[in-house]
Amino acid sequence: MARKVSRRGGNIVTIHDVARHVGVSPMTVSRVINGEKNVREETRQKVMEAVEALNYTPNLAARSLASQDSSRIALIYSNPSMSFLSELLLGILEQSSQSGCQLTIESCDGPEGVADVLDKLKATGVDGVVLPPPLSDSSRVAKALKDMKLPFVGVATSRPSPDAPSVSVDDFKAAFAMTSRLIQLGHRRIGFIKGNPNSYYSQLRYEGYVAALAKAGLMAEETLVGQGYFTYRSGFDAAETLLVRADRPTAVFASNDDMAAGAVATAHRLGLDVPRDVTIVGFDDTSMASSVWPELTTVRQPISDMAALALKLLLDQIKTRRAGQTYAPVHEIRDFSIVERQSSAPLGEASTTE
Amino acid sequence: MARKVSRRGGNIVTIHDVARHVGVSPMTVSRVINGEKNVREETRQKVMEAVEALNYTPNLAARSLASQDSSRIALIYSNPSMSFLSELLLGILEQSSQSGCQLTIESCDGPEGVADVLDKLKATGVDGVVLPPPLSDSSRVAKALKDMKLPFVGVATSRPSPDAPSVSVDDFKAAFAMTSRLIQLGHRRIGFIKGNPNSYYSQLRYEGYVAALAKAGLMAEETLVGQGYFTYRSGFDAAETLLVRADRPTAVFASNDDMAAGAVATAHRLGLDVPRDVTIVGFDDTSMASSVWPELTTVRQPISDMAALALKLLLDQIKTRRAGQTYAPVHEIRDFSIVERQSSAPLGEASTTE
DNA sequence: CTGAAAGCGCTTACAG
DNA sequence: CTGAAAGCGCTTACAG
C-alpha cells in the first residue's frame, strides 16, 4: 500500500524524520524552523542541514491546525482597472502562498455593494479583508468592517482608516514630482486628467499637480483639466476635449495609466504624434503602461510589493488580536519613482526615439 | 483566556458541536458534509439543519491534514497577455479557495525557462502544475513534467498532451466562425494578424480564418496577413503594414484582443475610423476588449471558467493517482461565442452606433 | 536549552 | 446506515 507516499511524489518527510536524522526531538526541529531563540547554535546548524538534506518542508495544514493559526483572507475589489488588479493579485498570491493563508476573492459594485459581500463572507467565515482602491478609501466600508470586528487592511489608500493598517504611496508627492518633471522638460501648458471624484487619492494627485504648477509660478487653468474616472474610455474622452483646441496643452498628465493609454489613443486619432506633438504621462506603472505604444512615462507604484506587505500586516493584526493584545495600526508609505519611457519628451524637441 | 475564540470572531463551531446538536456521531456529520451516500435521509436533513443553524464551516486545515489531501498547486506562466493572465487568475483563485488547495505562482521566460522553475518547485514541494499558453502548448514542457511525474493540466491548449487533462476551446472553429461572420457582414478583403508562430493555437486560428475564406470562395491573400506576437505592440505594428495600403482590407481579424487593441490604435493614428473605415475584431474577450474604445467585437473564450475547471481536473488527477489508480486524462472543450461590440460593422455602412 | 504529553478538527479504516 | 478508535503533522503549554 502506498499510504505513505507523499503529495510530492516521494515519501513524506515529516518533522519526525528530521528529528531522528539529527538525534533531537521534533520540538527542537520545530523551534529551529520557526526561528525561535532558545536553541543552541550548534543544534540549530545541524537541524538546518538535515532539513536541507532531507528536503523537508513543513506541512502547512498540520501547522495551521496545531497553531490554530489558519486564516481565511478575502480580497474584495470593486471595478478597479484590470491591470491594477492583476498586479495586486500577483503580490497577494505570492504572500498568501508564503504565509499559508487561504485566499478568497469577491467583487462588488462599489462601496454600496460591500454590505452584501460582507454578509456572505460572514456566513462563510473569514478572518480578514484586503481592500484595494476605491474601497480602501471608503469610510463607509471601513465602518462596516469595524462594526463586524473584522480586521482589514487598505492597499494604495490615501486616507487610511485609523483603525486599520495600510500601505500606500504619497500620491500628492508623486503627482507633484511628475508635474515638476514635465515642467523641467520645458512644458508650461500642462493638462491633467482627473480620476474618479469619489476617490480621495484622485483628489491628492490633482492637488500635487496644482502645487507643482504653483511652485513654478504657473496657474492651473481650468480648461486644461479634464474629468476622468480611471478608465481607458474616460481618458480617451477627456483627452479629446483637451487636445482638439488650438491652444492645446503640450503635455497631459493622466492620473492613471488606463486613462493615459486612452489619451494616447485620442492623440493618435487626432493626428498628433506622441511625444513629438504632445507628451502624455500616466500613474501606477501597471502592465498597461508598457503594453501600449509608445510605452508610457509614468509614476511607478510598486503595487505587487505593496499588496504583499498589506497582506502581511493584516496577518500580523489577526495574530495580535487572537493573542488578545490590541493592535496598533501601521501605516506604511512606500517610495514611488518616475519611470521615463517613450511617451514624454522635452518641449519642442522632435521625436528622435528610435 | 480566549483560547477557544475562533478565527471568525465567534466561538469555533466544530464538527463535534454539530454532532452533539443533532445527537449523532461526528462521523455521521462528516459523511453528510462530504456528500457520502450511506446516510439516512432523515439524519441527513437534521445534520444539514444543524450545520445551517450553527453556521458551521469545516476547518480546511484539519480536513486536508486528516485526509492527507492537501495539495500545493503551482501556476507557471510565461509572458502571456496580462489581461489574459488576470482572467485566468480570477478563475483559478475562485476554485482554489473552494477546493482548499494552496496556490503558488511562478513566472518564467518561455518554455526554456521552465526547467529552472521546476527545479525550484521540486525543492519546495508541489503536487501539480497548471499551464496556460504558451507553455501549455510546449511538448518540451510536457515532457519535463512527465519525467518528474508531476501531474499537470493545460488551459487553453490546442495541442493537449496525451498524458495530461486539458480545457480548451476549438480555436479553429472559433476563428472560422468569426471570419464567417465578417464575410456575412459583407467584408471580402479581410486581413488577419497572426499570433506567435511558436504557438499551435495561433496556427489553428489562422487556419480557421483561411478555411472560412475558402468556403466563401475567397483567397487568403498573403499581403493581407500580418505577423504578430500576441502583444499590443505587435498588433499595432502589423496593422500598420496592412492599413497604409491603398487597397487595405475593410476588416482585420487580430487573433487576440491585445493585438486587436493595438490595431485599433494604429487605425486611429492613420486617421481611420473604427468601424466606419475598417472593422477590427479580436479573440479571447479579455478585459482589454471592453476597456478599449471602440469596444472590441471578439471571440469569447470563458477563460475564468476554463481555468477553474482545469484546476478541478488537476485536483482529480492528483487524487486518483494518490489512490494508486491510473488516471485517464480528460480533454474538455468549452464553447466559445462571438460577442459583437462597437468595433465591427457591415461593409460600407456608416458608423451609426450611439 | 531541550523534551514528553496532549490536542488542533477532521477523516480513514474498521467494526457492527 | 452508524459509531469508536486511531492518526494526519504539527505546535502549545508545561516540565525539567
Side-chain angles (χ1 to χ4, degrees):
Chain A
M1 282 279 68
R3 261 198 93 266
K4 267 275 183 179
V5 162
S6 125
R7 52 178 190 284
R8 268 155 254 152
N11 286 333
I12 289 181
V13 179
T14 76
I15 200 170
H16 287 93
D17 297 321
V18 179
R20 204 175 315 124
H21 191 94
V22 184
V24 296
S25 78
M27 206 41 245
T28 301
V29 177
S30 170
R31 279 198 259 266
V32 173
I33 295 165
N34 293 299
E36 280 169 37
K37 288 283 141 203
N38 306 332
V39 181
R40 208 167 30 153
E41 189 47 37
E42 197 193 322
T43 319
R44 176 185 306 282
Q45 281 303 346
K46 279 200 248 169
V47 171
M48 296 288 244
E49 279 163 24
V51 165
E52 195 76 16
L54 299 180
N55 217 317
Y56 167 72
T57 25
N59 179 320
L60 255 43
R63 178 181 283 188
S64 48
L65 179 59
S67 61
Q68 295 287 285
D69 191 34
S70 88
S71 299
R72 300 196 210 187
I73 303 299
L75 168 68
I76 310 183
Y77 68 91
S78 147
N79 172 52
S81 131
M82 255 306 198
S83 44
F84 187 92
L85 184 63
S86 3
E87 307 283 338
L88 194 91
L89 245 35
L90 256 22
I92 294 263
L93 270 168
E94 176 93 9
Q95 186 62 41
S96 71
S97 84
Q98 247 186 58
S99 307
C101 67
Q102 202 64 32
L103 193 67
T104 305
I105 48 179
E106 297 287 344
S107 70
C108 68
D109 301 323
E112 311 74 38
V114 170
D116 291 342
V117 175
L118 254 32
D119 282 349
K120 182 177 162 192
L121 291 181
K122 200 170 190 173
T124 325
V126 189
D127 309 302
V129 173
V130 177
L131 250 32
L135 264 27
S136 51
D137 264 9
S138 163
S139 50
R140 179 173 172 175
V141 173
K143 186 173 181 313
L145 254 2
K146 204 186 161 185
D147 288 348
M148 287 176 68
K149 304 201 174 176
L150 200 54
F152 65 99
V153 63
V155 194
T157 338
S158 44
R159 188 164 44 186
S161 164
D163 310 307
S166 69
V167 183
S168 49
V169 133
D170 189 327
D171 286 284
F172 175 88
K173 230 163 133 182
F176 186 95
M178 176 57 99
T179 309
S180 300
R181 174 62 184 146
L182 294 175
I183 294 170
Q184 192 191 341
L185 286 173
H187 295 282
R188 290 297 172 268
R189 293 186 63 72
I190 301 175
F192 188 85
I193 303 180
K194 289 178 171 179
N196 199 311
N198 296 331
S199 290
Y200 188 58
Y201 67 99
S202 169
Q203 177 68 17
L204 285 179
R205 290 179 190 179
Y206 175 64
E207 287 173 6
Y209 154 79
V210 172
L213 289 183
K215 193 189 165 200
L218 300 170
M219 277 271 290
E221 289 182 41
E222 212 171 290
T223 53
L224 292 185
V225 177
Q227 182 66 57
Y229 301 90
F230 286 133
T231 64
Y232 180 101
R233 176 64 192 274
S234 70
F236 187 90
D237 291 343
E240 171 140 23
T241 316
L242 300 184
L243 296 178
V244 287
R245 318 169 29 167
D247 60 343
R248 62 166 192 266
T250 62
V252 173
F253 179 8
S255 52
N256 82 345
D257 291 337
D258 287 50
M259 294 195 297
V264 167
T266 290
H268 286 159
R269 202 171 47 114
L270 297 176
L272 300 174
D273 185 86
V274 178
R276 199 188 54 217
D277 301 322
V278 59
T279 278
I280 295 177
V281 300
F283 199 116
D284 282 345
D285 197 25
T286 62
S287 62
M288 181 65 106
S290 33
S291 68
V292 143
W293 191 85
E295 297 186 10
L296 300 176
T297 289
T298 190
V299 175
R300 172 168 173 71
Q301 241 191 126
I303 303 170
S304 284
D305 294 350
M306 289 165 66
L309 178 58
L311 179 51
K312 217 173 184 170
L313 293 180
L314 178 59
L315 262 15
D316 284 350
Q317 184 185 181
I318 295 172
K319 215 169 191 170
T320 311
R321 284 210 195 179
R322 274 188 199 151
Q325 299 162 271
T326 47
Y327 178 80
V330 188
H331 300 287
E332 291 272 358
I333 303 288
R334 292 321 237 186
D335 287 338
F336 61 86
S337 61
I338 293 195
V339 183
E340 306 223 68
R341 291 204 270 255
Q342 285 85 53
S343 72
S344 62
L347 178 66
E349 188 167 293
S351 168
T352 50
T353 23
E354 298 172 56
Chain B
M1 279 284 66
R3 261 198 93 265
K4 267 274 179 178
V5 162
S6 124
R7 51 177 191 287
R8 268 155 254 150
N11 286 336
I12 288 180
V13 180
T14 74
I15 200 170
H16 287 93
D17 298 321
V18 179
R20 204 175 315 125
H21 191 95
V22 184
V24 295
S25 76
M27 207 40 245
T28 301
V29 178
S30 169
R31 281 198 259 266
V32 172
I33 297 166
N34 294 299
E36 280 170 37
K37 289 283 142 203
N38 307 331
V39 182
R40 208 166 31 150
E41 189 47 38
E42 198 193 322
T43 319
R44 177 185 306 281
Q45 283 301 346
K46 279 200 249 169
V47 171
M48 296 287 244
E49 280 162 24
V51 166
E52 196 75 19
L54 300 179
N55 216 317
Y56 167 72
T57 25
N59 179 320
L60 256 44
R63 179 180 281 188
S64 47
L65 180 59
S67 60
Q68 294 287 283
D69 193 32
S70 87
S71 299
R72 299 194 211 187
I73 303 298
L75 168 68
I76 309 183
Y77 68 91
S78 145
N79 172 53
S81 129
M82 254 307 197
S83 44
F84 186 92
L85 184 63
S86 2
E87 307 284 338
L88 193 92
L89 245 33
L90 255 24
I92 293 263
L93 269 168
E94 177 92 11
Q95 186 62 242
S96 71
S97 84
Q98 247 186 59
S99 307
C101 68
Q102 200 65 33
L103 193 65
T104 305
I105 47 176
E106 297 286 343
S107 70
C108 69
D109 303 321
E112 310 76 35
V114 169
D116 291 341
V117 175
L118 254 33
D119 282 348
K120 182 178 163 190
L121 292 180
K122 199 170 191 175
T124 326
V126 189
D127 309 304
V129 172
V130 177
L131 251 30
L135 265 26
S136 52
D137 264 9
S138 162
S139 49
R140 179 172 171 175
V141 173
K143 187 175 180 312
L145 254 2
K146 205 185 160 189
D147 287 349
M148 285 176 70
K149 304 201 172 171
L150 200 54
F152 64 99
V153 62
V155 193
T157 338
S158 43
R159 187 164 45 185
S161 162
D163 311 307
S166 68
V167 184
S168 49
V169 134
D170 188 328
D171 287 283
F172 176 89
K173 233 162 130 181
F176 186 96
M178 176 56 100
T179 308
S180 300
R181 175 62 185 145
L182 293 174
I183 293 169
Q184 191 190 340
L185 286 172
H187 295 284
R188 290 297 171 268
R189 292 187 62 73
I190 301 174
F192 188 86
I193 303 181
K194 289 178 169 179
N196 198 312
N198 297 329
S199 291
Y200 188 59
Y201 67 98
S202 168
Q203 177 69 17
L204 285 179
R205 290 179 190 178
Y206 175 64
E207 286 172 9
Y209 154 79
V210 172
L213 290 183
K215 193 189 166 201
L218 300 169
M219 275 272 289
E221 291 181 39
E222 211 171 291
T223 54
L224 292 185
V225 177
Q227 180 66 56
Y229 300 91
F230 288 132
T231 64
Y232 180 99
R233 176 63 193 273
S234 71
F236 187 89
D237 291 342
E240 170 142 22
T241 316
L242 299 184
L243 296 178
V244 288
R245 315 171 29 167
D247 59 343
R248 61 164 192 267
T250 63
V252 173
F253 180 7
S255 52
N256 83 345
D257 290 337
D258 287 50
M259 293 195 298
V264 168
T266 290
H268 286 159
R269 202 170 47 114
L270 296 176
L272 301 173
D273 185 87
V274 178
R276 198 189 56 217
D277 301 323
V278 59
T279 278
I280 294 177
V281 300
F283 199 114
D284 281 346
D285 197 25
T286 61
S287 61
M288 181 65 106
S290 35
S291 68
V292 144
W293 191 85
E295 294 185 13
L296 300 176
T297 290
T298 190
V299 175
R300 174 168 172 70
Q301 241 190 125
I303 303 171
S304 284
D305 295 351
M306 289 165 65
L309 177 58
L311 180 51
K312 218 172 183 171
L313 293 180
L314 178 59
L315 262 17
D316 285 350
Q317 183 185 183
I318 294 171
K319 216 168 188 168
T320 310
R321 283 208 196 182
R322 275 188 197 150
Q325 298 160 274
T326 48
Y327 178 80
V330 187
H331 299 287
E332 292 272 358
I333 302 289
R334 293 321 235 186
D335 286 339
F336 61 85
S337 61
I338 292 195
V339 182
E340 305 221 70
R341 298 209 188 82
Q342 286 83 53
S343 72
S344 61
L347 180 65
E349 188 166 292
S351 169
T352 51
T353 24
E354 301 172 57

